[in-house]
């Protein structure tokens, strides 16, 4: 290029919001390049000529004394494109400018502002609309009281507080300090007057009263353990004098991780960090004993948790069965299912944090005499609407099933046998009800506890949170967060690759973020506070897997795909464990560490016991955990991410993309939503036009069966119902190898599967060692809004070769892969195949544990509701009934 950029006279440019920033010629180049590519007119030499001409015109017009406005520069670009006879490129550039202007105006309308800052610009219209409706704090008039930037500042400003109080200048890990007398402190007096990042007479970020309140609570807690070197007043003087200012970099690391969309914590953290409620965890498990006092206490505690923004799981197996004697009243017991209705009613009337109804997981163990009534619990319309239900199955039952031996049912009151049942009858009933209603799910007791590091100290885990990805002890909580894998795709000379170094750095920061949550969380009950700090459980997971695989052009259910998702999970687990060990060296181990299996060098990861699978040095991790200890009892969980993945503009959790393109209904009209990575492909392939958008949307969001797309594209760009259900199970297995808690995954099944398919899914999951499984058969809860060719043709039509069926045969699970003809003529137990069903918009969802029955989205009034990750989710606005995502 003829112009020497170091001598270029124009150094600054005026942005639309009035800010004056450095002039970056590369942005001019990138904009012209994109316009060329969009109309298939990219030419490197011509691009260089146009850019040089644009820069010359700007230099001649403004020189070193005047500063151009961004609109002036764009006008010059348009003129240059026309001058070089690039009329199609100029048209594309003009349309792009108009589109960007429309987006800017829409964003400003959503955020109730007349300008956009650098954070507003990073997030899409979809993400900002979701933030404004759900996450941003509002004043008493219902107007926005903060912007996205302030949201992430508010969260990061809370999360950095433990880094300050665990600083060795104030913290003594050994706990050998004298306990200092309690000192009074009024956080309101200091709110908005002290913070981090000194800037002249002020700070870059300020703490509010809720931040300061949590700071004092953490100080008092550590002080009570003899871990504070100085009294509160001395600490406070140190803070004001700048002793801890270096922790501003920690604050920035948390803030940037969220703003750059590399990581998001679970929704309650975004709602409540630095706000009045201060409750940061998504899910809890409560105990319930066989007496009315315990039952009513559980109802009260559930109400408190729902009010704070959480969901609960309860194992009801300790309650005596229906018809049993009640000695205190000489009456007859009504059984656990009846008492579940009490919690269901509480859920109905108490909104979570004033935002939505709560969610429940109801569990009954398969030996309970009321098990059949429980299995049928969701069969009746309007019953237990606010529950997910799961049957907890033990190995004894599975052995009886395999040998067709009668299975004993026992009364929990006295452990006496109340009768026997055919295990095959119960197993069939579970599958049939799941086939009809998507409930119950299935949990496997021994699979959950096989590697449980706290089994010796606390016994077996027998409950989970509402979505099943966190098996929890009574009064435990889970605070979760998800890395956005799609954010770590980078372009190199070799093509697109995973930025492993960037991912490792993000894992380190995300781990520290979640560990800090434990210390500044305002738990809803004292018993939960105590238990959560005994185990210090966190759950780091991911989202964006499907988009990452799209970007790398790897089919989701190919052997390469399964291998990569396993490798990624192992990589995250390895570095999370490594960070937890490092933090134990400076802050101490979790209190129950000495009673755990870590002291023997045993890790709660199934993959650890499969040395042939290792790609990392797990021997070092085990030895270090044994020698130095570890900060947290559990570290990994793959949770639902419906809303937070929409904030990050990526795919949800471990799930495949639900639709590549669909019609999105918003207040200003209807337009086509396109998966971002699929849109990149369409542009590269010269297929980015309205005709293609409509074709794919009308095909249920799938490209299967559309000859305009080459076979390789049809193999890569698969949606949930393109993938055989057995490959969904296998994906959960490969990721679960390196997850110590559990994995939330919907096993999507088309409407034409049989009850036998559901039973085979359960057997496959059990024999693979999965901790639980949730199936969702299309049409079992509603009319489906998106109908793919696999659903319409009553067969899987995607051809991705893998070894899944071979693995199933090796585990003695036989599956008949249907052809279209055999399925259409099969006699389905309840309703006809999808080929005979008139497709129409969703009428309603009867979904347990997810806030009840919805005929339309309660947020945007749209009808694009889907069922994913155990939750109702709106495709239009991102609203979800899930407490986590």
């Amino acid at each position: 290029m003829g112009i020497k950029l170091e001598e270029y006279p124009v150094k600054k440019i005026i942005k639309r919001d009035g800010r004056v920033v450095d002039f970056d010629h590369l942005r001019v180049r990138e904009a012209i390049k994109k316009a060329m590519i969009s109309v298939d007119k990219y030419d490197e030499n011509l691009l260089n000529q146009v850019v040089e001409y644009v820069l010359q015109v700007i230099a001649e017009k403004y020189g070193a004394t005047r500063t151009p406005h961004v609109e002036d520069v764009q006008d010059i670009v348009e003129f240059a494109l026309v001058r070089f006879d690039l009329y199609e490129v100029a048209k594309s550039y003009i349309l792009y400018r108009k589109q960007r202007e429309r987006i800017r105006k829409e964003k400003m309308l959503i955020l109730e502002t007349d300008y956009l800052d650098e954070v507003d610009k990073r997030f899409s219209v979809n993400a900002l609309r979701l933030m404004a409706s759900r996450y941003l704090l509002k004043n008493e008039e219902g107007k926005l009281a903060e912007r996205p930037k302030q949201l992430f500042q508010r969260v990061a400003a809370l999360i950095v507080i433990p880094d300050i109080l665990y600083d060795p200048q104030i913290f003594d890990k050994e706990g050998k300090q004298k306990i200092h007398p309690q000192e009074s402190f009024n956080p309101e007096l200091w709110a908005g007057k002290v913070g981090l990042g000194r800037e002249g007479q002020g700070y870059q970020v300020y703490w509010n009263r809720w931040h300061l309140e949590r700071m004092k609570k953490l100080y008092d807690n550590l002080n009570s353990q003899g871990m504070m070197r100085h009294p509160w007043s001395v600490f406070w003087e140190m803070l004001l004098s700048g002793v801890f200012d270096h922790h501003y970099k920690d604050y920035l690391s948390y803030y940037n991780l969220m703003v750059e969309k590399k990581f998001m914590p679970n929704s309650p953290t975004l709602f409540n960090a630095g706000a009045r409620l201060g409750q940061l965890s998504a899910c809890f498990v409560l105990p319930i004993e066989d007496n009315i006092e315990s039952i009513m206490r559980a109802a009260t505690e559930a109400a408190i948790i729902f009010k704070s923004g959480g969901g609960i799981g309860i194992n009801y197996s300790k309650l005596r069965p229906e018809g049993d004697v009640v000695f205190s009243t000489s009456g007859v017991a009504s059984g656990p299912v009846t008492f579940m209705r009490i919690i269901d009613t509480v859920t109905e009337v108490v909104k979570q944090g004033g935002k939505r109804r709560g969610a429940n997981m109801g569990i009954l163990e398969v030996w309970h005499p009321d098990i059949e009534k429980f299995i049928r619990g969701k069969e009746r319309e309007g019953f237990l609407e606010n529950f997910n239900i799961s049957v907890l199955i033990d190995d004894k039952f599975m052995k009886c099933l395999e040998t067709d031996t009668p299975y004993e049912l026992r009364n929990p009151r006295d452990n006496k046998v109340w009768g026997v049942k055919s295990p095959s009858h119960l197993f069939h009933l579970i599958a049939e009800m799941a086939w009809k209603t998507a409930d119950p799910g299935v949990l496997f007791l021994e699979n959950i506890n096989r590697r449980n590091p706290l089994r010796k100290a606390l016994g077996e885990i027998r409950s989970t949170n509402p979505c099943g990805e966190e098996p929890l002890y009574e009064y435990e909580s889970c605070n979760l967060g998800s890395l956005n894998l799609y954010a770590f795709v980078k372009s190199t000379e070799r093509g697109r690759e995973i930025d492993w170094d960037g991912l490792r750095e993000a894992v380190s920061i995300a781990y520290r973020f979640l560990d800090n949550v434990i210390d500044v969380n305002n738990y809803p009950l004292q018993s939960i506070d105590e238990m959560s700090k005994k185990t210090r459980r966190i759950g780091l997971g991911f989202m964006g897997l499907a988009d990452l695989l799209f970007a790398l052009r790897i089919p989701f259910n190919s052997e390469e795909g399964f291998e990569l998702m396993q490798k990624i999970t192992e990589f995250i687990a390895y570095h999370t464990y490594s960070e937890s060990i490092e933090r134990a060296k400076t802050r101490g181990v979790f209190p129950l560490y000495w009673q755990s299996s870590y002291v023997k060098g045993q890790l709660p990861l199934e993959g650890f016991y499969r040395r042939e699978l290792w790609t990392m040095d797990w021997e070092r991790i085990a030895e270090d955990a044994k020698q130095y200890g570890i900060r947290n009892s559990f570290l990994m969980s793959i949770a639902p991410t419906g809303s937070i993945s929409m904030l990050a503009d990526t795919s949800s959790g471990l799930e495949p993309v639900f639709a590549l393109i669909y019609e999105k209904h918003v207040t200003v009209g209807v337009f086509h939503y396109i998966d971002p990575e699929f849109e990149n492909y369409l542009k590269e392939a010269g297929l980015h036009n309205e005709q293609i958008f409509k074709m794919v949307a009308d095909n249920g969001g799938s490209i299967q069966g559309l000859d305009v797309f080459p076979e390789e594209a049809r193999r890569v760009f698969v949606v949930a119902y393109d993938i055989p259900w057995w490959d969904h199970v296998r994906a959960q297995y490969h990721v679960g190898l390196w997850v110590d808690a559990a994995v939330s995954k919907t096993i999507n099944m088309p409407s034409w599967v049989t009850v036998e398919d559901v039973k085979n899914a359960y057997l496959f999951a059990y024999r693979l060692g999965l901790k639980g499984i949730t199936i969702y058969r299309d049409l079992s809860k509603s009319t489906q809004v998106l109908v793919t060719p696999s659903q319409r043709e009553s067969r899987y039509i995607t051809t991705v070769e893998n070894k899944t069926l071979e693995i199933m045969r090796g585990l003695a699970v036989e599956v008949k892969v249907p052809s279209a003809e055999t399925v259409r003529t099969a006699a389905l137990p309840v309703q006809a195949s999808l080929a005979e069903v008139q497709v129409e918009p969703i009428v309603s969802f009867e979904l347990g544990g997810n806030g009840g029955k919805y005929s339309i989205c309660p947020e945007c009034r749209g009808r694009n509701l889907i069922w994913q990750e155990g939750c109702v989710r709106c495709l239009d606005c991102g609203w979800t009934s899930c407490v986590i995502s």
Side-chain angles (χ1 to χ4, degrees), residues 10-14 20-21 62-69 72:
V10 179
K11 304 296 183 183
K12 299 289 183 180
I13 189 170
I14 303 170
V20 178
V21 299
Y62 294 94
T65 58
R66 297 172 59 209
T67 303
H69 191 279
D72 299 325

Side-chain angles (χ1 to χ4, degrees), residues 96-106:
Y96 174 77
R97 283 186 70 181
K98 287 184 177 179
Q99 181 188 25
R100 298 300 299 172
E101 182 181 3
R102 179 186 63 79
I103 290 172
R104 282 193 298 274
K105 288 181 178 178
E106 193 168 353

